């Protein structure tokens, strides 16, 4: 008998708990296409979302318990005669199938079952909603234009800088919709919120009941943990100062400028990004050649400075197929007044040291 028998028993118990949830979700999803109006779809979606949350929790607990079991066996002394027997039992257990539920024991396979249900639910909901909306639009000549359904983005709590965008999504699509009655739709709201959480963010509120009366508590708990503007701004600023061009190639410089622009859009003006010293420091991380340009142009903001660099690099990429220095006549020689030497215009294409432009060249 294995010394980890209790762990095996808990794993089998988790599978037994997950199996009826999987069946319920499948049955509820099939009813989505039988709904005749949006209210019925919302009620079915609320039930599916609630069951999915329970299934996700079981899946995560199962994965953690299995990993703990593997770690415990690996930590056994190599001289222990029972270690090989335990490894063999673990392998046999992992490759087996539960006789009662016909579900595979492997955590990866179990996780795939839940993931497929999540995708099936999302796609079924989007398809049924779009079909119902189109049917209503065709039946009413004065109906409004129906936008396609929006897939909710998830939040795992690892990157705190993603919290503002995630919270804005919740406010706009779920929490602040005046057409949704809090009494009738409060339950599916909380299920939608929980279904978009992953990892540590989901664990943070996992003990709060899935009940409409606890929606405000879930949001408050998440805001307490992740709504920290100072930390968010400091993290964004630190990320900006870490960005540096991989090489002096134009493509790498452009990629660097794009990343910087995206970060600067999210950083508050109060962080002091617009000073010339900061602009010089950022320019140096793209290419030292930009430092004197910073002092000549003296852009009002760092964003304006980066956008100028982006435009300059884009213009240079256009001529990147030319050699490092070429003279190309732009037109027939221009007729100059007799008091001036006869000259024609040439374009300089030098992607390494000179900007692209036009200069007059004296004819010999």
């Amino acid at each position: 008998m294995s010394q980890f028998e209790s762990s095996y028993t808990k794993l089998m118990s988790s599978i037994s708990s997950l199996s009826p949830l999987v069946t319920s979700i499948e049955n509820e999803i099939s009813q989505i296409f039988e709904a005749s109006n949006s209210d019925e779809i919302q009620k079915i979606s609320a039930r599916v979302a609630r069951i999915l949350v329970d299934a996700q929790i079981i899946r995560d607990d199962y994965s953690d318990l299995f990993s703990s079991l593997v770690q415990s066996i690996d930590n056994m002394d190599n001289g222990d005669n029972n270690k090989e027997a335990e490894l063999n039992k673990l392998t046999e257990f992992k490759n087996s199938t539960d006789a009662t539920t016909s579900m595979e024991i492997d955590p990866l396979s179990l996780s795939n079952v839940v993931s497929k249900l999540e995708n099936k639910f999302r796609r079924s909901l989007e398809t049924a909603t779009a079909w119902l909306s189109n049917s209503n639009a065709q039946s009413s000549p004065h109906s409004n234009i129906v936008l396609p359904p929006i897939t909710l983005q998830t939040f795992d709590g690892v990157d705190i800088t993603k919290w503002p965008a995630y919270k804005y999504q919740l406010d706009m699509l779920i929490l602040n919709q005046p057409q949704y009655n809090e009494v009738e739709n409060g339950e599916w709201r909380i299920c939608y919120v929980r279904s978009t959480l992953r990892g540590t963010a989901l664990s943070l509120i996992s003990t709060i009941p899935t009940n409409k009366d606890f929606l405000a508590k879930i949001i408050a708990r998440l805001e307490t943990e992740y709504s920290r503007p100072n930390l968010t701004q400091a993290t964004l600023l630190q990320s900006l100062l870490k960005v540096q061009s991989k090489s002096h190639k134009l493509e790498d410089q452009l990629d660097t400028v794009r990343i910087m622009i995206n970060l600067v859009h999210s950083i508050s003006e109060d962080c002091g990004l617009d000073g010339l010293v900061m602009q010089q420091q950022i320019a140096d991380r793209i290419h030292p050649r930009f430092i004197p340009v910073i002092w000549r142009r003296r852009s009002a903001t760092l964003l304006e400075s980066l956008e100028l660099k982006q435009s300059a690099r884009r213009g240079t990429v256009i001529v990147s197929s030319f050699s490092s220095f070429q003279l190309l006549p732009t037109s027939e020689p221009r007729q100059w007044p007799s008091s001036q030497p006869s000259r024609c215009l040439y374009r300089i294409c030098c992607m390494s040291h000179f900007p692209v432009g036009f200069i007059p060249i004296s004819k010999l």
Side-chain angles (χ1 to χ4, degrees):
M1 183 175 179
S2 172
Q3 66 185 66
F4 302 104
E5 199 64 34
S6 60
S7 297
Y8 289 113
T9 302
K10 290 179 181 178
L11 289 171
M12 296 304 298
S13 176
S14 296
I15 292 180
S16 299
S17 300
L18 181 62
S19 180
L21 298 182
V22 171
T23 304
S24 298
I25 293 172
E26 291 279 8
N27 294 336
E28 293 288 354
I29 290 177
S30 64
Q31 295 182 21
I32 291 179
F33 295 100
E34 300 176 4
S36 58
N37 55 62
S38 58
D39 290 338
E40 290 183 11
I41 292 180
Q42 289 180 3
K43 291 178 180 178
I44 296 173
S45 299
R47 293 198 297 268
V48 175
R50 184 174 61 251
I51 301 173
L52 260 178
V53 169
D54 294 336
Q56 290 166 348
I57 293 175
I58 293 176
R59 174 198 61 190
D60 294 342
D61 290 344
Y62 184 89
S63 178
D64 292 341
L65 181 58
F66 199 96
S67 298
S68 177
L69 174 60
V70 173
Q71 187 64 42
S72 297
I73 296 177
D74 287 342
N75 290 338
M76 293 179 65
D77 190 350
N78 291 329
D80 191 338
N81 296 329
N82 294 326
K83 182 173 184 178
E84 184 176 355
E86 292 292 351
L87 288 172
N88 292 335
K89 179 177 176 59
L90 177 64
T91 302
E92 181 181 355
F93 178 76
K94 182 179 179 181
N95 295 330
S96 64
T97 302
D98 180 45
T100 304
T101 63
S102 298
M103 297 184 68
E104 297 183 17
I105 303 296
D106 187 357
L108 181 59
S109 300
L110 202 69
S111 178
N112 288 337
V113 170
V114 178
S115 298
K116 288 178 180 179
L117 286 175
E118 293 172 347
N119 293 332
K120 184 177 182 179
F121 170 53
R122 184 182 69 253
R123 292 175 180 175
S124 299
L125 180 60
E126 292 175 353
T127 302
T129 303
W131 178 84
L132 184 61
S133 299
N134 292 334
S135 299
N136 294 336
Q138 293 174 2
S139 62
S140 176
H142 302 292
S143 60
N144 296 328
I145 297 176
V146 179
L147 296 176
I150 299 175
T151 301
L152 296 175
Q153 299 298 314
T154 60
F155 178 71
D156 59 11
V158 176
D159 186 355
I160 195 174
T161 63
K162 294 182 179 180
W163 167 257
Y166 171 76
K167 181 56 166 60
Y168 178 80
Q169 168 193 252
L170 292 186
D171 290 339
M172 295 299 295
L173 302 180
I174 299 177
L175 302 178
N176 296 338
Q177 289 295 332
Q179 67 269 31
Y180 298 144
N181 182 277
E182 181 65 32
V183 176
E184 297 178 357
N185 300 294
E187 187 169 334
W188 71 260
R189 284 189 186 188
I190 193 172
C191 291
Y192 267 125
V193 171
R194 294 191 66 146
S195 67
T196 60
L197 296 173
R198 299 287 187 272
T200 57
L202 178 60
S203 300
L204 187 69
I205 54 94
S206 61
T207 57
I208 302 178
T210 306
N211 185 293
K212 63 184 179 180
D213 298 330
F214 292 90
L215 176 60
K217 292 184 178 180
I218 287 178
I219 299 300
R221 184 71 182 92
L222 291 171
E223 287 186 330
T224 300
E225 182 70 20
Y226 300 112
S227 184
R228 293 184 279 178
N230 291 339
L231 178 58
T232 300
Q233 292 296 308
T235 304
L236 287 169
L237 183 58
Q238 187 178 29
S239 299
L240 175 64
L241 296 177
K242 288 182 179 179
V243 177
Q244 187 164 4
S245 180
K246 296 179 181 178
S247 70
H248 289 172
K249 293 181 179 179
L250 294 176
E251 294 79 4
D252 291 337
Q253 293 180 39
L254 267 175
D255 289 341
T256 302
V257 173
R258 292 191 191 101
I259 295 172
M260 287 179 170
I261 288 177
N262 290 337
L263 288 170
V264 170
H265 274 297
S266 303
I267 299 177
S268 171
E269 296 178 354
D270 298 334
C271 291
L273 295 180
D274 299 332
L276 285 178
V277 175
M278 175 61 76
Q279 292 187 35
Q280 176 183 344
Q281 183 179 356
I282 296 299
D284 183 55
R285 305 188 74 83
I286 303 171
H287 195 291
R289 179 187 309 152
F290 285 115
I291 295 177
V293 177
I294 292 295
W295 292 100
R296 288 199 305 268
R297 298 301 296 264
R298 294 183 178 269
S299 300
T301 64
L302 175 60
L303 180 60
E304 178 184 341
S305 173
L306 289 171
E307 288 174 343
L308 285 174
K309 296 181 184 65
Q310 186 180 43
S311 299
R313 294 295 85 186
R314 281 176 176 170
T316 309
V317 168
I318 294 175
V319 297
S320 62
S321 60
F322 290 92
S323 60
S324 63
F325 186 76
Q326 292 180 333
L327 291 179
L328 303 176
T330 60
S331 63
E332 293 298 325
R334 178 174 176 179
Q335 299 299 323
W336 294 86
S338 58
S339 60
Q340 298 182 5
S342 177
R343 300 184 294 178
C344 69
L345 293 177
Y346 284 83
R347 181 171 57 186
I348 290 182
C349 299
C350 181
M351 53 182 290
S352 300
H353 302 289
F354 300 97
V356 176
F358 296 91
I359 64 170
I361 305 296
S362 297
K363 258 190 168 182
L364 298 178

